[in-house]
Amino acid sequence: MPKQQTYDHLLFIVVLVLMGLGLVMVYSSSALVAETRYQVSSYYFLKKQAFCMGLAMLVLLGAMIVPYTFWRKMCYVLLLFSIILLALVFFPALGKRAGGACRWLNLSGFSFQPAEFAKLALILYLAHFLAKKVDDIEDMKAIFLPLFIVLGVSFLLIVKQPDLGTGVVIVLIAFSLVFAAGAKKRQLFGIAGLFSLCLGGLIWLVRYRLQRILVFMNPWKDPAGKGYQMVQSFCALGAGGWFGQGLGQGIQKCGYLPEAHTDFIFSVIGEELGFIGTFAVLVLFGIFIWRGFLIARRAKDPFARWLALGITCLIGCQAFINIGVAIGILPTKGLALPFISFGGSSLIVNALAVGMLLNISITV
Amino acid sequence: MKKKSKRSSNINRRIVILQVLFFIMMAFITVRLYHLQILQHDFYSEKVLSRLPSLSTSAKPRRGTIYDCQGRELAVSVNVGSIYGIPRQIRQGGNFIIQQLCKILHLNTRRLEKKLDPKQNFVWIKRKVDPDVANRLKRLQFEGVGFCEESKRYFPSAGLAAQLLGFAGMDNHGLEGTELFFDELLRVNDKEKKGADLAKFFSSEDFDQEFIPFAGPYDLQLTINKVIQYQTEKELADCCTTMEAKAGLAIVMEIQSGEILAMANWPTYNLNNFSQYPARFRRNRCITDTFEPGSIFKIFLAASALEEKVLGPSDIVHCGNGTFRIGGRIIHDTHKHGWLSVSNVIKESSNIGSAKIGLLLGEEKFHTSLKNFGFGSKTGIQLPGEARGNIKPVNRWTDLTTANISFGQGILVTPLQIINAVCCLANQGWWRKPRILKALRNEEGEILELPDSGPVRRVLSKATCESVTKMLEMVVQSGTGTSAYLPGYRVAGKTGTAQKIDPESKRYSSKLFYSSFVGYFPANTPQIAILVSIDEPRKEHLGALVAAPVFRKIAQSIIRYQNIAPVEKKRYLKNQRWRLASTAP
């Protein structure tokens, strides 16, 4: 019996719902801050996000049409391109600094985060690499040397920005893929150990990271100072209760909760829509992960499988790290909540990724 | 092969493991969320709900003032107090607070109680009250009642130029008229943005040298003259009430500069209470409404015919003794005429004569000329909602269309287009954009004069303008427009009594009229043009009897106000004699 050749409707709907919710929450959480802190119209962030969302939808639909094999052909080009972009950030003429970090590229009025793009480029490369070499998984050198070089370079460039959160996401995705590919326990422990050492070193070297970790252990030690963000996030979530204060009724976003429309948008959802709202978001991401893994398991082409897996891990890891920060089970990171947080680069790149995933879902 | 399938199932098993890990993570997050949001809810909500929004939007900056051409205020911003409530906190204070609030602010007790729903975090109790009242309340120090200062739009002369100025809403955003059109300039923006805003309203040629935009809101200086506007509105209202008209409008324009000195609509409304009036009061009919102009349109027919040298002013046409059959229809004249010169066709306002001139001119030339006068396209005045009117495309003109348009039927124009085209005639044939904004000013008093962008195109030659002006002078001296005559001044003008379409029978009505008069003076060196149009006057219907006297009264007050000198005495007396002789029975 021939199987119906259609894309995964459920996955598509989940993404649409998340984006819609994102638009509403971005407006709710940014309106006041836009007027008072940024001195622009209260619709400023909403308009920008709506524009990016339109663009993202076009990208998504476009990527749904393009056969995924096309990306395999392009993977080296894209990888090289993303590494060049990552390096360009450090040139003062092109890079844009914000909040002490240098993560944006300025392109005639538009700013763009190359790290977002790099994540996807790396996934494409990993998928291609594993599809080619999966028979040699037990051969340490053949597999791990090129992997280490590519990953290492990107990782260093991203961490240098500094954007440790994205670096961690990349390593997590790579680790998941290598694990799924069938790496031995010994190998996995090796990678994990090496990475932990790296991470430990990075944390030790830069003082604020260590502080963040310590604060994360006990935010209530200094609720007005270093634990401020965390405590405000708890307050927002806690004030929500079962059903929340009502849409637009949150108080925490009015200057108490920093970065309410980007990093801590989940807390605003918690305050305004309550446990019902946050749980719904969690379930939506759960469905995404379920469908994503299903597509990966059903894929017959190895490249499609690894790509689907990588993309699912990308969305899943980002979502859970962002939520983890908001609920205080992870130290503060500058990661966006996929499809929901304000931010064009992340939205468009995630849409591109979903488009690829949906294209794969047509073939399985 | 076997190895491969084994490997594939191994991979699938590991993917499932990853998936399970994710779901464990999810479960963990859910538990944590339950802990935070449900179990610790009371702890956190107590913490959060005791605070007020730490960012307040109350410190709204001032909105720019609007002045008339001599710096008199037309629209200003005043600081007023607004009162809001935090219902959660009021609840503890009890009914006493609500009672007091209602007493001082004259509010309905039950409605306020309902408004202060304890589920809400923030409720406006009353916005934009007198600062004294707000201060009195402030001293009472009610718990859960807050105050902030807001700025409110106030129009010192209430209904003056209401439709032109427009108003700003509760949130100080312009909603109509100049308030809407120049909203971005009146509002505060940063300096860079301001440059962009300016560029939106003015072309770079408007500025002579490199202009650095200044910060802060701009004050606008309009071309409107408050005194002339007042007189115009007064005369218009007098006429409309005595004639029991449905509506009326009048525009006064300075001919050389194209500046609008007054733009009046009747019925009008009080800008300080704009919400209490229906939309028909708020419409600026001078630019948004189109109408069939009727006989005043013969001015442009005569000008076109003379410009194209189809006829001279003294060439004659036969006016068919009151009836003229064309395209299956019969055109009538109110008075029967035989042979009339072009001048006399205008003077006596003969429809048949006009139709014949139009046919001699031909549809192509007539159409082009009307387009050049600006009919069928927006004048480009800086006001929102301008209509463009409607001229049929020339390939759909029949002889009947040409004949009809010759005396102003079958074409839709706006009052502003009419007066602007008349200004073009009076300004030696140079067409220009009407101006409403004269200058910008910032808070430090720096003035940015908007330079005159100058005439756009030449529509008529000087000779044509002079001949047509002469004809129009005749109209006022001895033709249909004698009630617009001003002793001592040379006035050129034309009456118009257009039949309106009866909304029921869809035909030209014999009862509903649109009576107009358009004219300018002094005819030798034209300075001021005035258009008066009265919609459905009931007592009288002829433009000569309804609109022309209004023209005369407005013109008289402008002459007094601007000290416009009469023509020399000799000429004046000669004219008087000539006039007496020509009007003798």
Side-chain angles (χ1 to χ4, degrees):
Chain A
M1 194 182 79
K3 220 161 57 182
Q4 205 182 348
Q5 299 280 302
T6 180
Y7 65 94
D8 192 325
H9 295 277
L10 187 57
L11 190 78
F12 187 57
I13 290 166
V14 162
V15 171
L16 283 186
V17 172
L18 283 171
M19 280 190 176
L21 179 71
L23 202 58
V24 174
M25 294 319 295
V26 161
Y27 178 55
S28 173
S29 56
S30 69
L32 188 67
V33 175
E35 275 202 350
T36 52
R37 194 165 292 158
Y38 296 93
Q39 307 281 324
V40 286
S41 146
S42 57
Y43 300 112
Y44 178 78
F45 290 103
L46 174 70
K47 280 183 188 162
K48 239 177 143 174
Q49 183 77 348
F51 175 76
C52 289
M53 211 161 266
L55 218 59
M57 277 322 290
L58 289 181
V59 168
L60 195 157
L61 296 174
M64 252 171 89
I65 296 165
V66 177
Y68 67 87
T69 43
F70 167 77
W71 302 106
R72 185 166 192 179
K73 283 177 219 144
M74 295 292 289
C75 81
Y76 286 109
V77 179
L78 291 174
L79 184 68
L80 195 68
F81 185 57
S82 78
I83 288 177
I84 291 170
L85 284 182
L86 280 175
L88 281 180
V89 169
F90 298 106
F91 290 93
L94 295 163
K96 190 180 110 184
R97 302 194 76 87
C102 198
R103 294 176 186 172
W104 290 267
L105 265 186
N106 238 341
L107 298 169
S108 60
F110 289 93
S111 54
F112 176 75
Q113 262 181 296
E116 294 291 341
F117 180 65
K119 282 187 268 195
L120 191 59
L122 272 173
I123 289 172
L124 282 170
Y125 168 76
L126 277 171
H128 166 69
F129 184 80
L130 288 175
K132 200 171 67 179
K133 294 276 175 77
V134 81
D135 285 335
D136 308 328
I137 195 79
E138 281 134 50
D139 180 358
M140 263 297 213
K141 264 190 200 153
I143 278 277
F144 290 106
L145 207 59
L147 213 58
F148 270 126
I149 292 167
V150 170
L151 273 178
V153 170
S154 325
F155 183 74
L156 281 179
L157 281 170
I158 289 170
V159 171
K160 182 88 198 354
Q161 288 183 359
D163 187 356
L164 193 55
T166 304
V168 170
V169 168
I170 288 175
V171 173
L172 275 178
I173 294 167
F175 190 80
S176 310
L177 288 181
V178 172
F179 166 76
K184 290 267 154 51
K185 267 180 209 150
R186 192 165 43 92
Q187 296 165 329
L188 290 171
F189 277 122
I191 303 172
L194 195 65
F195 176 62
S196 308
L197 267 178
C198 276
L199 203 63
L202 284 167
I203 289 168
W204 195 252
L205 279 173
V206 185
R207 288 209 56 177
Y208 74 85
R209 288 197 183 123
L210 187 64
Q211 266 174 3
R212 277 191 190 173
I213 304 272
L214 293 176
V215 162
F216 150 70
M217 304 285 202
N218 187 5
W220 290 101
K221 203 174 147 196
D222 186 8
K226 301 191 182 73
Y228 181 76
Q229 284 191 330
M230 202 119 276
V231 169
Q232 294 309 325
S233 176
F234 292 168
C235 285
L237 285 163
W242 276 108
F243 300 103
Q245 299 278 318
L247 198 58
Q249 299 274 4
I251 291 177
Q252 285 297 88
K253 67 190 182 197
C254 306
Y256 293 100
L257 184 65
E259 309 290 340
H261 59 296
T262 55
D263 298 356
F264 283 99
I265 199 158
F266 188 75
S267 316
V268 179
I269 296 174
E271 186 182 7
E272 300 192 349
L273 303 177
F275 180 74
I276 300 295
T278 50
F279 187 66
V281 171
L282 213 55
V283 168
L284 286 169
F285 278 114
I287 296 172
F288 186 96
I289 290 163
W290 165 48
R291 298 308 294 189
F293 279 133
L294 199 65
I295 293 166
R297 271 191 286 141
R298 283 184 183 163
K300 286 171 199 80
D301 176 11
F303 173 73
R305 174 174 56 217
W306 301 125
L307 185 58
L309 193 64
I311 288 169
T312 313
C313 288
L314 170 75
I315 304 293
C317 286
Q318 288 190 98
F320 286 169
I321 291 178
N322 176 286
I323 294 173
V325 170
I327 62 175
I329 58 174
L330 289 173
T332 318
K333 292 264 171 308
L335 272 187
L337 188 57
F339 311 119
I340 294 183
S341 282
F342 173 79
S345 323
S346 128
L347 195 60
I348 288 167
V349 170
N350 288 336
L352 180 61
V354 171
M356 292 178 189
L357 189 57
L358 286 171
N359 183 264
I360 294 171
S361 79
I362 297 173
T363 63
V364 298
Chain B
M1 195 66 216
K2 200 180 166 195
K3 195 185 169 192
K4 204 170 182 184
S5 78
K6 192 185 157 201
R7 176 177 298 285
S8 159
S9 75
N10 189 27
I11 287 172
N12 277 350
R13 214 183 60 228
R14 290 203 171 196
I15 291 178
V16 172
I17 295 173
L18 275 180
Q19 192 174 349
V20 169
L21 279 175
F22 266 109
F23 284 131
I24 291 172
M25 182 80 181
M26 234 179 98
F28 185 56
I29 291 173
T30 311
V31 171
R32 171 74 181 152
L33 278 175
Y34 182 77
H35 182 246
L36 263 176
Q37 298 202 269
I38 310 301
L39 298 183
Q40 292 189 308
H41 173 57
D42 292 339
F43 171 72
Y44 285 117
S45 66
E46 196 185 332
K47 261 183 153 357
V48 169
L49 298 186
S50 62
R51 42 169 75 141
L52 292 175
S54 79
L55 296 172
S56 136
T57 50
S58 61
K60 278 271 164 62
R62 188 183 74 94
R63 189 176 168 85
T65 309
I66 301 179
Y67 297 101
D68 86 336
C69 67
Q70 301 192 342
R72 289 172 289 228
E73 287 166 341
L74 291 171
V76 296
S77 285
V78 289
N79 284 338
V80 288
S82 282
I83 301 154
Y84 59 87
I86 312 291
R88 238 179 5 251
Q89 297 176 2
I90 293 182
R91 205 164 36 144
Q92 296 149 11
N95 286 332
F96 174 71
I97 292 178
I98 291 178
Q99 268 170 20
Q100 288 294 311
L101 281 173
C102 290
K103 217 168 104 191
I104 296 170
L105 296 171
H106 308 292
L107 296 171
N108 182 319
T109 318
R110 203 173 305 153
R111 208 174 291 165
L112 184 63
E113 268 169 7
K114 209 172 159 195
K115 220 177 177 183
L116 292 171
D117 174 6
K119 278 193 214 116
Q120 301 283 318
N121 285 324
F122 179 96
V123 173
W124 286 114
I125 293 174
K126 194 168 183 181
R127 284 184 82 179
K128 303 195 175 177
V129 301
D130 192 320
D132 287 344
V133 178
N135 281 333
R136 223 167 87 207
L137 268 173
K138 226 184 251 180
R139 253 175 270 133
L140 295 173
Q141 291 186 327
F142 289 138
E143 201 182 337
V145 179
F147 300 87
C148 63
E149 200 170 68
E150 285 195 286
S151 117
K152 183 188 178 178
R153 213 57 172 155
Y154 178 69
F155 300 88
S157 31
L160 194 76
Q163 296 81 358
L164 175 91
L165 287 176
F167 46 83
M170 194 49 108
D171 291 318
N172 291 330
H173 288 219
L175 297 178
E176 273 190 26
T178 50
E179 292 265 29
L180 170 61
F181 196 89
F182 298 109
D183 193 37
E184 279 137 315
L185 295 181
L186 289 163
R187 264 151 65 180
V188 174
N189 274 314
D190 53 69
K191 219 171 192 175
E192 281 161 41
K193 181 90 191 315
K194 209 92 217 187
D197 284 345
L198 273 179
K200 214 153 97 189
F201 291 104
F202 313 103
S203 63
S204 54
E205 297 124 52
D206 283 351
F207 303 109
D208 293 340
Q209 68 269 33
E210 191 76 13
F211 169 71
I212 303 148
F214 34 71
Y218 285 111
D219 295 336
L220 305 183
Q221 186 164 22
L222 302 184
T223 58
I224 296 293
N225 185 313
K226 209 169 173 178
V227 174
I228 296 175
Q229 176 78 29
Y230 173 77
Q231 292 288 352
T232 307
E233 283 188 17
K234 184 175 151 277
E235 302 302 346
L236 181 68
D238 278 356
C239 166
C240 289
T241 36
T242 49
M243 293 292 165
E244 294 173 8
K246 187 175 144 200
L249 61 91
I251 308 174
V252 180
M253 249 174 109
E254 198 172 80
I255 288 161
Q256 306 242 303
S257 61
E259 289 179 358
I260 308 268
L261 295 181
M263 191 180 258
N265 288 271
W266 189 90
T268 188
Y269 67 108
N270 184 347
L271 284 170
N272 293 319
N273 285 327
F274 63 85
S275 57
Q276 289 165 16
Y277 296 85
R280 71 188 168 90
F281 283 75
R282 308 204 292 238
R283 196 168 73 225
N284 189 352
R285 293 160 199 268
C286 301
I287 59 165
T288 60
D289 283 19
T290 56
F291 68 113
E292 287 183 288
S295 302
I296 49 175
F297 212 64
K298 288 170 192 164
I299 299 174
F300 310 113
L301 170 77
S304 310
L306 262 56
E307 180 68 16
E308 294 294 337
K309 303 203 167 40
V310 177
L311 289 161
S314 47
D315 289 344
I316 51 172
V317 287
H318 193 268
C319 296
N321 290 324
T323 47
F324 175 48
R325 189 181 288 276
I326 182 168
R329 295 286 179 93
I330 298 171
I331 297 172
H332 295 279
D333 263 344
T334 37
H335 301 282
K336 289 177 185 171
H337 297 289
W339 289 98
L340 281 183
S341 69
V342 173
S343 299
N344 281 333
V345 167
I346 300 300
K347 186 178 133 192
E348 304 296 340
S349 199
S350 161
N351 288 346
I352 297 169
S354 303
K356 290 201 170 167
I357 297 171
L359 292 169
L360 282 170
L361 177 60
E363 68 254 24
E364 289 285 348
K365 284 176 181 167
F366 195 18
H367 181 266
T368 316
S369 175
L370 291 182
K371 282 277 179 196
N372 277 335
F373 270 117
F375 295 111
S377 48
K378 294 182 181 181
T379 61
I381 194 172
Q382 292 181 315
L383 284 174
E386 192 185 358
R388 62 175 78 240
N390 191 8
I391 311 182
K392 265 192 206 170
V394 71
N395 53 14
R396 281 170 47 205
W397 282 30
T398 61
D399 279 354
L400 181 63
T401 322
T402 314
N404 275 338
I405 292 178
S406 299
F407 53 90
Q409 277 188 352
I411 181 168
L412 286 172
V413 299
T414 67
L416 185 67
Q417 282 172 343
I418 290 279
I419 191 160
N420 203 41
V422 166
C423 281
C424 162
L425 171 70
N427 191 22
Q428 303 191 342
W430 285 102
W431 191 94
R432 52 184 308 153
K433 251 162 94 171
R435 270 157 62 91
I436 189 73
L437 184 64
K438 207 178 174 108
L440 298 175
R441 229 194 293 192
N442 76 343
E443 268 176 320
E444 280 93 55
E446 291 173 82
I447 291 180
L448 166 64
E449 288 275 356
L450 295 174
D452 191 347
S453 53
V456 177
R457 58 176 178 267
R458 184 145 209 176
V459 181
L460 303 171
S461 68
K462 201 177 162 195
T464 309
C465 294
E466 278 169 3
S467 316
V468 177
T469 302
K470 243 175 237 159
M471 290 180 199
L472 297 179
E473 265 189 275
M474 297 261 287
V475 171
V476 176
Q477 277 170 351
S478 54
T480 52
T482 45
S483 44
Y485 184 78
L486 290 166
Y489 293 87
R490 292 175 59 188
V491 178
K494 181 78 191 77
T495 58
T497 312
Q499 290 172 296
K500 285 185 74 173
I501 304 272
D502 191 318
E504 279 162 27
S505 65
K506 311 277 181 216
R507 287 169 156 215
Y508 283 109
S509 158
S510 54
K511 281 180 201 146
L512 306 175
F513 294 94
Y514 199 92
S515 311
S516 328
F517 187 90
V518 64
Y520 51 96
F521 64 90
N524 46 339
T525 53
Q527 289 181 26
I528 304 287
I530 304 172
L531 166 72
V532 179
S533 286
I534 311 293
D535 191 4
E536 292 182 25
R538 254 180 249 156
K539 283 278 161 69
E540 299 279 353
H541 70 273
L542 289 176
L545 298 175
V546 181
V550 183
F551 171 91
R552 191 188 68 233
K553 286 178 200 157
I554 296 172
Q556 268 170 344
S557 67
I558 293 173
I559 285 168
R560 275 198 301 273
Y561 178 71
Q562 294 200 336
N563 267 329
I564 298 174
V567 290
E568 356 32 317
K569 205 171 174 189
K570 215 164 98 190
R571 179 110 188 232
Y572 167 54
L573 289 173
K574 193 181 140 206
N575 273 345
Q576 281 293 79
R577 270 203 304 278
W578 190 83
R579 180 168 178 261
L580 287 171
S582 65
T583 51

